[in-house]
Amino acid sequence: MTTTPRATARIQFFAGFTLDDAVPLVPYFAALGISHLYASPLLMARPGSTHCYDIVDHNRINPALGGEPALRRLMKVLRAHSMGLILDIVPNHMGVGGADNGWWLDLLEWGQSSLYAGFFDIDWTPPDPALHNKILAPFLGAPYGETLANHELVLQHRDGLYIEYHEHHFPITARSAALVLHAEPVLDDISHAFLQATTIPGRVASHDAAKRAKSMLAQAVTHPDGAAALKSCLARFDSRNPDGARRLHELLERQHYRLAWWRAASDEINWRRFFDINTLAGLRVERPAVFNATHRLILKLYAEGVIDGVRVDHIDGLANPRAYARKLRRAMEAAGQSRPPDAPAGQPYIVVEKILAPRERLPEDWQTDGTTGYDFMDQVAAVLHDPEGESALTTLWTDRTARPGDFATEEAPARRQILRDNLASELNTTATALRRIAARDLTTRDYTLTAIRRALTEILVHFPVYRIYAGQAGSSDTDRQVMDRALAAAQRSIRAADVKLLDLLRLWLADESPRALPAGPIRTAQRRAMVRFQQLSAPTAAKSVEDTAFYRFGRLLSRNEVGSNPEVFSIPPAAFHAACAERARRLPGAMLATATHDHKRGEDTRARLAVLSEIPAEWAAALARWMRLNNIIRRESGPSPADEIMLYQSLVGAWPLGLTGLDNAGMEAFTARVSAWQIKSIREAKLVSEWAAPNEDYEHACNEFLRRTLDTSRPILAEIIAFADRLGAAGAVNGLAQTLMRLTAPGVPDLYQGCEYWDQSLVDPDNRRPVDFAARQASLLQNTPPALALSDWKSGVVKQAIIARTLALRKQKSDLFAHGTYQKLEADGLAAAHILAFARRSRGQTIVTAVTRLSTGMVDASPLIPPQNWIGTSLRLPGPEWIDTLSNSRHSGRVIPASALFAHLPVALLSSP
């Protein structure tokens, strides 16, 4: 067994599914052929977190998941089944707010004197002088004055004095604690101790002194006199009376933070967030102390053989992804010297979550094994779309909705809106950093902050990738090419007076190496501006594309997926083969995914929707009829034609196989799922409603429209079910094709939880629903041959059977799948375009993957292609003798008729004897 996985299974852990819950599933995953479990974040997260990316303590395994004892129990069982564990880690940010993150609470209490002031990415001198040396704390649900007047801010005591606001704790400074306690003589000594803590030189010494003062206070309140005195002190700051409210406000004004309404964050926040989420604060993991503090437990677990590798979340959020990835590898390799003899051998497995734009490549010098697989997810989906349908579906979308037919036209205004409404503070911070550079040179000092912000906005609106990686040594050829594209587009939209600024910003952001500048403030300022820009372009892309424009552009929702560009409707088989061959050469250990915890639609929902690319005329006719039938229930307030069309796509794409209008419970459950998707879709689009300002009238109208569409008394429901059935078999062919390609293409296949069966999920939280593992365990035990399972294809067992047999072959021929070369294969004949095939070869062994694509005109009620549809079509093979792993059929000859190849299944996996 090695640290590099043969195949992974992603599990989402939370309080409702703990580490101990996974233990009895290990034998099932082992029997399925999985080599490593792939765990969502396991470090201590905010209480109640359902995703655990909001870590509050990097040095504890989450007690809600069972803690470290449960992790070691799971590892013991994994090792007994010769399996390993990959851990999802989150170096970019931490969960803040609440009362759980000790580093954050220390920062609020001590400000720049905090032991952790350098851990968070804070601008202590923002444009607003009122925030100098303060942290904006935008956690209030209403404006500050209103919150104070409503008596929601309460001075409390527990391990020190703090302001309580619902679940949030805001510690007060030692000096403020001294002031509060000074009112009662009984507490004078403690008040003096707090005051003395502020005068002791040295951060550690002053912190220790403050801890002693807190201990003195805790001891004092165990006695009646002390408790009464403290109660009297706190009462003086009770906002229910005017004097108390005044004192409380004055006390808050003396703190290292400024409490604010959550809406103020977009304009004024002075610390880096994860995207625009106020409860996730960016970490400066590029600093050695921060790296060490956030990776201590991870490295310990690797050294002890508890984990075998990591998945790095949102690496593009870091100041220097390359330096981080290389340092992580060095640190894990060093820790690996202490791994026990029975731990899997080999180098640590490291993959990174990275969205790659078309033609963008993950740099090999990062020293990672590859990405987490969004790029493959895009490629394998695109090759299953029919390019012939693009024009008709584009026309259908524009005619019905009056919205743009090209994605770029939707993306640009979405980017402007995100920069204006969600990331305005981050934009201002970056522009200010650039303005500080301009002000240091007489030739540039007249470029104003406003002008720089305008020019910066135009660059970001047209930025073609998540980010560049220019740094101390300057920029790479790739960085310069990206800037060329961004500036060329920006020049077409920027006002003429600002054109010259574009070249200047390019110089500062990419072309000029900070090392070429004199050491000191100028070099530091430029390096800081470069990092600010790179850490802004990534969330701008994510928020405007995936979380906005994806919900506005509904030509075909199967192409609106994380890692995909909806502008790319399809790719030809040659492009798919080229991508696979390149991966085999460059990053053979990269992860391959077709479903994730972040996907917009499940892998089989997308596979079914892809069928619409083959039948655009049928889809147009169905839409016309349904929109006409639903005229009677459509309100003036909504839905819009775009939202209506996207609803119909979601219904036919996610419709559960076998669900009928007579199943009341099933209908209600499905309606609830689609309703949750609908609300999220409307708000993410930010056209009529949004999370910050929900349009309840519109949302209610859309929800009523959905429920009446699914009313069993109306004829449209039967038509929708019939159309979903019409797509079902061809969608299943696509689903089996992408499954087999994921399992056999160069890379490490990942199985997202529950996707052994059909995955007709929608966006989260729908894609994180509980999985019926008992059913999956039972069907795997039956060991039904895939060809036999195809007769009951709607159950999904055929998909599981194909996965199990393919992963068994991967185990048997592990070297071939890990290191084998990649060769595209050619088909001949009338239906040659419906076959995609490739070979993997290593040390005299060969396997061939062959799948059916674009099958709508070839199937009827079953995914099995009738032999007459393959007449005159054959596949050329790289050897004379073959055994089909999936059907146990034997084939001879270097040319095999497609009717024989696909006699039992729409996919085949041939192996040389």
Side-chain angles (χ1 to χ4, degrees), residues 880-907:
E881 299 294 331
W882 304 94
I883 299 173
D884 189 339
T885 301
L886 304 181
S887 66
N888 294 327
S889 302
R890 289 183 173 270
H891 303 283
S892 297
R894 291 182 177 274
V895 176
I896 180 172
S899 57
L901 182 66
F902 298 123
H904 305 286
L905 292 162
V907 297

Side-chain angles (χ1 to χ4, degrees), residues 404-622:
D406 63 301
F407 184 70
T409 304
E410 285 284 19
E411 181 181 346
R415 282 176 173 263
R416 292 187 192 281
Q417 182 174 347
I418 290 299
L419 288 167
R420 182 191 68 229
D421 297 344
N422 299 74
L423 300 174
S425 179
E426 288 80 359
L427 176 65
N428 288 337
T429 298
T430 307
T432 300
L434 291 165
R435 167 60 191 154
R436 287 169 179 161
I437 298 173
R440 293 180 183 275
D441 191 317
L442 296 180
T443 64
T444 58
R445 73 177 188 179
D446 288 341
Y447 286 113
T448 65
L449 176 62
T450 302
I452 290 173
R453 185 166 52 238
R454 284 197 303 265
L456 181 61
T457 297
E458 294 308 312
I459 293 174
L460 289 166
V461 163
H462 299 288
F463 215 66
V465 297
Y466 257 51
R467 62 174 284 177
I468 58 173
Y469 302 96
Q472 291 281 28
S475 58
S476 65
D477 289 342
T478 300
D479 290 339
R480 288 189 285 274
Q481 290 166 10
V482 168
M483 294 300 289
D484 284 344
R485 293 166 60 193
L487 265 70
Q491 285 172 351
R492 294 192 293 269
S493 61
I494 198 170
R495 58 182 243 173
D498 293 334
V499 169
K500 288 185 178 180
L501 251 179
L502 293 176
D503 290 332
L504 192 59
L505 294 191
R506 176 188 177 130
L507 176 69
W508 292 334
L509 295 174
D511 289 356
E512 188 173 52
S513 167
R515 284 181 181 168
L517 300 173
I522 296 178
R523 180 189 293 183
T524 301
Q526 180 165 353
R527 174 64 185 138
R528 192 68 179 144
M530 296 170 80
V531 171
R532 287 288 187 192
F533 172 72
Q534 292 165 29
Q535 290 180 320
L536 172 58
S537 66
T540 299
K543 290 299 297 180
S544 58
V545 177
E546 299 160 26
D547 293 346
T548 304
F550 273 12
Y551 294 92
R552 297 180 179 182
F553 185 75
R555 174 176 65 183
L556 188 56
L557 293 180
S558 50
R559 295 302 295 139
N560 293 16
E561 191 49 77
V562 179
S564 297
N565 181 349
E567 192 74 15
V568 181
F569 186 83
S570 64
I571 62 171
F576 177 80
H577 290 311
C580 287
E582 182 181 15
R583 189 181 311 107
R585 290 192 305 270
R586 295 181 71 245
L587 296 166
M591 193 171 277
L592 308 179
T594 48
T596 76
H597 64 286
D598 276 336
H599 66 231
K600 303 300 183 185
R601 286 159 197 87
E603 60 184 40
D604 296 303
T605 302
R606 296 194 310 274
R608 188 189 293 175
L609 284 173
V611 176
L612 296 179
S613 69
E614 303 176 57
I615 53 169
E618 282 188 51
W619 176 238

